[in-house]
Short mmCIF file of all heavy atoms in Angstrom, two decimals:
data_model
loop_
_atom_site.label_atom_id
_atom_site.label_comp_id
_atom_site.label_asym_id
_atom_site.label_seq_id
_atom_site.Cartn_x
_atom_site.Cartn_y
_atom_site.Cartn_z
N ASN B 209 12.66 4.40 -23.13
CA ASN B 209 11.42 3.65 -22.97
C ASN B 209 11.60 2.58 -21.90
O ASN B 209 10.72 2.37 -21.06
CB ASN B 209 11.00 3.01 -24.29
CG ASN B 209 9.57 2.56 -24.29
OD1 ASN B 209 8.70 3.27 -23.79
ND2 ASN B 209 9.33 1.38 -24.83
N ARG B 210 12.75 1.94 -21.90
CA ARG B 210 13.04 0.90 -20.90
C ARG B 210 13.11 1.51 -19.50
O ARG B 210 12.60 0.94 -18.54
CB ARG B 210 14.35 0.22 -21.27
CG ARG B 210 14.64 -1.02 -20.51
CD ARG B 210 15.84 -1.71 -21.08
NE ARG B 210 15.99 -3.00 -20.45
CZ ARG B 210 17.04 -3.74 -20.54
NH1 ARG B 210 18.08 -3.32 -21.27
NH2 ARG B 210 17.12 -4.89 -19.93
N TYR B 211 13.75 2.67 -19.41
CA TYR B 211 13.83 3.37 -18.12
C TYR B 211 12.44 3.72 -17.60
O TYR B 211 12.13 3.50 -16.43
CB TYR B 211 14.66 4.65 -18.27
CG TYR B 211 14.54 5.57 -17.08
CD1 TYR B 211 15.23 5.31 -15.91
CD2 TYR B 211 13.69 6.67 -17.12
CE1 TYR B 211 15.10 6.14 -14.81
CE2 TYR B 211 13.55 7.50 -16.03
CZ TYR B 211 14.26 7.23 -14.87
OH TYR B 211 14.12 8.05 -13.79
N ALA B 212 11.61 4.24 -18.47
CA ALA B 212 10.26 4.62 -18.07
C ALA B 212 9.46 3.39 -17.60
O ALA B 212 8.73 3.46 -16.61
CB ALA B 212 9.53 5.31 -19.22
N THR B 213 9.64 2.27 -18.29
CA THR B 213 8.95 1.05 -17.90
C THR B 213 9.43 0.57 -16.54
O THR B 213 8.62 0.22 -15.67
CB THR B 213 9.18 -0.05 -18.95
OG1 THR B 213 8.70 0.43 -20.21
CG2 THR B 213 8.45 -1.33 -18.58
N LYS B 214 10.75 0.58 -16.32
CA LYS B 214 11.29 0.15 -15.02
C LYS B 214 10.84 1.09 -13.90
O LYS B 214 10.54 0.65 -12.80
CB LYS B 214 12.82 0.09 -15.08
CG LYS B 214 13.33 -1.09 -15.85
CD LYS B 214 14.84 -1.14 -15.81
CE LYS B 214 15.37 -2.36 -16.54
NZ LYS B 214 16.82 -2.46 -16.43
N LYS B 215 10.80 2.38 -14.20
CA LYS B 215 10.35 3.36 -13.21
C LYS B 215 8.90 3.11 -12.84
O LYS B 215 8.52 3.14 -11.67
CB LYS B 215 10.51 4.77 -13.78
CG LYS B 215 10.07 5.87 -12.85
CD LYS B 215 10.22 7.22 -13.53
CE LYS B 215 9.44 8.25 -12.74
NZ LYS B 215 8.96 9.33 -13.54
N THR B 216 8.08 2.83 -13.82
CA THR B 216 6.67 2.55 -13.57
C THR B 216 6.51 1.29 -12.72
O THR B 216 5.70 1.24 -11.79
CB THR B 216 5.91 2.40 -14.90
OG1 THR B 216 6.04 3.62 -15.63
CG2 THR B 216 4.44 2.10 -14.67
N ILE B 217 7.29 0.27 -13.01
CA ILE B 217 7.23 -0.97 -12.23
C ILE B 217 7.67 -0.72 -10.79
O ILE B 217 7.02 -1.19 -9.85
CB ILE B 217 8.10 -2.07 -12.89
CG1 ILE B 217 7.45 -2.51 -14.21
CG2 ILE B 217 8.29 -3.26 -11.96
CD1 ILE B 217 8.34 -3.40 -15.06
N ALA B 218 8.73 0.05 -10.60
CA ALA B 218 9.20 0.37 -9.25
C ALA B 218 8.15 1.16 -8.47
O ALA B 218 7.90 0.88 -7.29
CB ALA B 218 10.51 1.15 -9.32
N GLN B 219 7.51 2.11 -9.12
CA GLN B 219 6.46 2.88 -8.47
C GLN B 219 5.29 1.98 -8.12
O GLN B 219 4.68 2.13 -7.06
CB GLN B 219 6.00 4.02 -9.37
CG GLN B 219 6.99 5.15 -9.47
CD GLN B 219 6.57 6.21 -10.48
OE1 GLN B 219 5.89 5.92 -11.45
NE2 GLN B 219 7.01 7.43 -10.26
N GLY B 220 5.00 1.03 -8.98
CA GLY B 220 3.92 0.08 -8.71
C GLY B 220 4.22 -0.77 -7.49
O GLY B 220 3.33 -1.06 -6.68
N MET B 221 5.47 -1.18 -7.35
CA MET B 221 5.86 -1.97 -6.18
C MET B 221 5.73 -1.16 -4.90
O MET B 221 5.29 -1.68 -3.86
CB MET B 221 7.28 -2.49 -6.34
CG MET B 221 7.42 -3.59 -7.35
SD MET B 221 9.12 -4.16 -7.39
CE MET B 221 9.18 -4.92 -8.98
N LEU B 222 6.11 0.10 -4.94
CA LEU B 222 5.95 0.96 -3.77
C LEU B 222 4.47 1.14 -3.45
O LEU B 222 4.08 1.18 -2.27
CB LEU B 222 6.62 2.31 -4.00
CG LEU B 222 8.14 2.30 -4.02
CD1 LEU B 222 8.68 3.66 -4.43
CD2 LEU B 222 8.70 1.90 -2.68
N ASP B 223 3.65 1.25 -4.48
CA ASP B 223 2.22 1.38 -4.28
C ASP B 223 1.66 0.13 -3.62
O ASP B 223 0.81 0.22 -2.73
CB ASP B 223 1.52 1.63 -5.63
CG ASP B 223 0.08 2.06 -5.46
OD1 ASP B 223 -0.19 2.88 -4.56
OD2 ASP B 223 -0.75 1.59 -6.23
N ILE B 224 2.14 -1.04 -4.00
CA ILE B 224 1.70 -2.29 -3.38
C ILE B 224 2.10 -2.33 -1.91
O ILE B 224 1.32 -2.78 -1.07
CB ILE B 224 2.25 -3.51 -4.16
CG1 ILE B 224 1.56 -3.61 -5.51
CG2 ILE B 224 2.08 -4.80 -3.37
CD1 ILE B 224 2.15 -4.62 -6.45
N ALA B 225 3.30 -1.85 -1.59
CA ALA B 225 3.74 -1.82 -0.19
C ALA B 225 2.83 -0.92 0.65
O ALA B 225 2.43 -1.29 1.76
CB ALA B 225 5.18 -1.34 -0.10
N LEU B 226 2.49 0.24 0.13
CA LEU B 226 1.60 1.15 0.85
C LEU B 226 0.19 0.57 0.94
O LEU B 226 -0.46 0.69 1.98
CB LEU B 226 1.57 2.53 0.18
CG LEU B 226 0.74 3.60 0.88
CD1 LEU B 226 1.24 3.83 2.30
CD2 LEU B 226 0.78 4.89 0.09
N LEU B 227 -0.26 -0.08 -0.11
CA LEU B 227 -1.57 -0.71 -0.10
C LEU B 227 -1.63 -1.80 0.98
O LEU B 227 -2.62 -1.91 1.71
CB LEU B 227 -1.88 -1.30 -1.48
CG LEU B 227 -3.25 -1.92 -1.68
CD1 LEU B 227 -4.34 -0.88 -1.50
CD2 LEU B 227 -3.33 -2.54 -3.07
N THR B 228 -0.56 -2.56 1.12
CA THR B 228 -0.48 -3.59 2.15
C THR B 228 -0.54 -2.98 3.54
O THR B 228 -1.24 -3.47 4.42
CB THR B 228 0.81 -4.42 1.98
OG1 THR B 228 0.83 -4.98 0.67
CG2 THR B 228 0.91 -5.52 3.00
N ALA B 229 0.19 -1.88 3.74
CA ALA B 229 0.17 -1.20 5.03
C ALA B 229 -1.23 -0.67 5.34
O ALA B 229 -1.72 -0.80 6.47
CB ALA B 229 1.18 -0.06 5.04
N ASN B 230 -1.89 -0.09 4.34
CA ASN B 230 -3.25 0.42 4.56
C ASN B 230 -4.23 -0.71 4.84
O ASN B 230 -5.15 -0.55 5.66
CB ASN B 230 -3.72 1.25 3.37
CG ASN B 230 -3.16 2.65 3.36
OD1 ASN B 230 -3.03 3.25 2.32
ND2 ASN B 230 -2.84 3.21 4.52
N ALA B 231 -4.06 -1.84 4.18
CA ALA B 231 -4.94 -2.98 4.44
C ALA B 231 -4.77 -3.46 5.88
O ALA B 231 -5.75 -3.79 6.55
CB ALA B 231 -4.64 -4.11 3.45
N SER B 232 -3.54 -3.46 6.36
CA SER B 232 -3.28 -3.84 7.74
C SER B 232 -3.92 -2.84 8.71
O SER B 232 -4.52 -3.23 9.73
CB SER B 232 -1.76 -3.91 7.98
OG SER B 232 -1.48 -4.19 9.31
N GLN B 233 -3.81 -1.56 8.40
CA GLN B 233 -4.43 -0.53 9.23
C GLN B 233 -5.95 -0.67 9.23
O GLN B 233 -6.60 -0.51 10.26
CB GLN B 233 -4.04 0.86 8.74
CG GLN B 233 -2.58 1.19 8.95
CD GLN B 233 -2.16 2.45 8.21
OE1 GLN B 233 -2.75 2.81 7.19
NE2 GLN B 233 -1.14 3.11 8.72
N LEU B 234 -6.51 -0.98 8.07
CA LEU B 234 -7.95 -1.16 7.97
C LEU B 234 -8.41 -2.36 8.80
O LEU B 234 -9.42 -2.30 9.50
CB LEU B 234 -8.36 -1.34 6.50
CG LEU B 234 -9.85 -1.47 6.22
CD1 LEU B 234 -10.60 -0.22 6.66
CD2 LEU B 234 -10.08 -1.74 4.73
N LYS B 235 -7.65 -3.44 8.74
CA LYS B 235 -7.96 -4.63 9.54
C LYS B 235 -7.97 -4.27 11.03
O LYS B 235 -8.88 -4.64 11.76
CB LYS B 235 -6.94 -5.73 9.26
CG LYS B 235 -7.14 -6.97 10.10
CD LYS B 235 -6.03 -7.97 9.85
CE LYS B 235 -6.13 -9.12 10.83
NZ LYS B 235 -4.98 -10.01 10.75
N TYR B 236 -6.94 -3.55 11.45
CA TYR B 236 -6.85 -3.15 12.86
C TYR B 236 -8.05 -2.29 13.27
O TYR B 236 -8.68 -2.54 14.29
CB TYR B 236 -5.55 -2.39 13.11
CG TYR B 236 -5.52 -1.69 14.45
CD1 TYR B 236 -5.33 -2.42 15.61
CD2 TYR B 236 -5.73 -0.32 14.54
CE1 TYR B 236 -5.32 -1.78 16.84
CE2 TYR B 236 -5.73 0.32 15.76
CZ TYR B 236 -5.52 -0.42 16.91
OH TYR B 236 -5.53 0.20 18.13
N ILE B 237 -8.35 -1.30 12.47
CA ILE B 237 -9.43 -0.36 12.83
C ILE B 237 -10.77 -1.09 12.86
O ILE B 237 -11.64 -0.79 13.69
CB ILE B 237 -9.44 0.88 11.91
CG1 ILE B 237 -9.97 2.11 12.65
CG2 ILE B 237 -10.26 0.70 10.69
CD1 ILE B 237 -9.05 2.68 13.64
N LEU B 238 -10.95 -2.06 11.98
CA LEU B 238 -12.20 -2.82 11.97
C LEU B 238 -12.28 -3.78 13.17
O LEU B 238 -13.36 -4.02 13.71
CB LEU B 238 -12.36 -3.59 10.66
CG LEU B 238 -12.63 -2.73 9.43
CD1 LEU B 238 -12.60 -3.58 8.17
CD2 LEU B 238 -13.93 -1.97 9.56
N GLN B 239 -11.12 -4.31 13.60
CA GLN B 239 -11.11 -5.18 14.77
C GLN B 239 -11.41 -4.40 16.04
O GLN B 239 -12.16 -4.87 16.89
CB GLN B 239 -9.75 -5.87 14.91
CG GLN B 239 -9.55 -7.01 13.94
CD GLN B 239 -8.17 -7.63 14.06
OE1 GLN B 239 -7.20 -6.97 14.42
NE2 GLN B 239 -8.08 -8.92 13.74
N VAL B 240 -10.85 -3.23 16.16
CA VAL B 240 -11.07 -2.41 17.35
C VAL B 240 -12.48 -1.84 17.34
O VAL B 240 -13.15 -1.74 18.36
CB VAL B 240 -10.01 -1.29 17.45
CG1 VAL B 240 -10.34 -0.32 18.57
CG2 VAL B 240 -8.63 -1.89 17.66
N GLY B 241 -12.95 -1.47 16.16
CA GLY B 241 -14.30 -0.96 16.02
C GLY B 241 -14.45 0.44 16.56
O GLY B 241 -13.48 1.22 16.62
N GLU B 242 -15.64 0.76 16.99
CA GLU B 242 -15.95 2.12 17.43
C GLU B 242 -15.31 2.48 18.76
O GLU B 242 -15.44 3.62 19.21
CB GLU B 242 -17.46 2.32 17.46
CG GLU B 242 -18.04 2.26 16.06
CD GLU B 242 -19.45 2.80 15.98
OE1 GLU B 242 -19.87 3.58 16.86
OE2 GLU B 242 -20.12 2.45 15.00
N GLN B 243 -14.62 1.53 19.38
CA GLN B 243 -13.88 1.85 20.60
C GLN B 243 -12.67 2.73 20.29
O GLN B 243 -12.16 3.40 21.18
CB GLN B 243 -13.42 0.57 21.30
CG GLN B 243 -14.59 -0.21 21.87
CD GLN B 243 -14.14 -1.52 22.50
OE1 GLN B 243 -13.05 -1.99 22.23
NE2 GLN B 243 -14.98 -2.09 23.33
N HIS B 244 -12.22 2.69 19.04
CA HIS B 244 -11.12 3.57 18.66
C HIS B 244 -11.63 5.01 18.66
O HIS B 244 -12.73 5.29 18.18
CB HIS B 244 -10.59 3.20 17.27
CG HIS B 244 -9.30 3.87 16.91
ND1 HIS B 244 -9.25 5.17 16.47
CD2 HIS B 244 -8.03 3.43 16.95
CE1 HIS B 244 -7.99 5.50 16.24
NE2 HIS B 244 -7.22 4.45 16.53
#
């Protein structure tokens, strides 16, 4: 049970890292606008 909980937390952290990268990409695409 402890292993499963730690695994879930680790996966959540990776999800946050990818979410941060996507938010940065979204910011960029919105700044550039339709010129992209």
Side-chain angles (χ1 to χ4, degrees):
N209 196 42
R210 191 171 188 193
Y211 167 78
T213 302
K214 286 183 178 184
K215 179 182 165 208
T216 301
I217 291 170
Q219 287 174 332
M221 288 183 201
L222 290 173
D223 192 42
I224 290 171
L226 183 59
L227 184 62
T228 302
N230 281 153
S232 177
Q233 292 169 333
L234 183 61
K235 177 185 172 188
Y236 167 76
I237 210 73
L238 290 173
Q239 284 177 330
V240 172
E242 293 195 21
Q243 292 177 342
H244 191 280

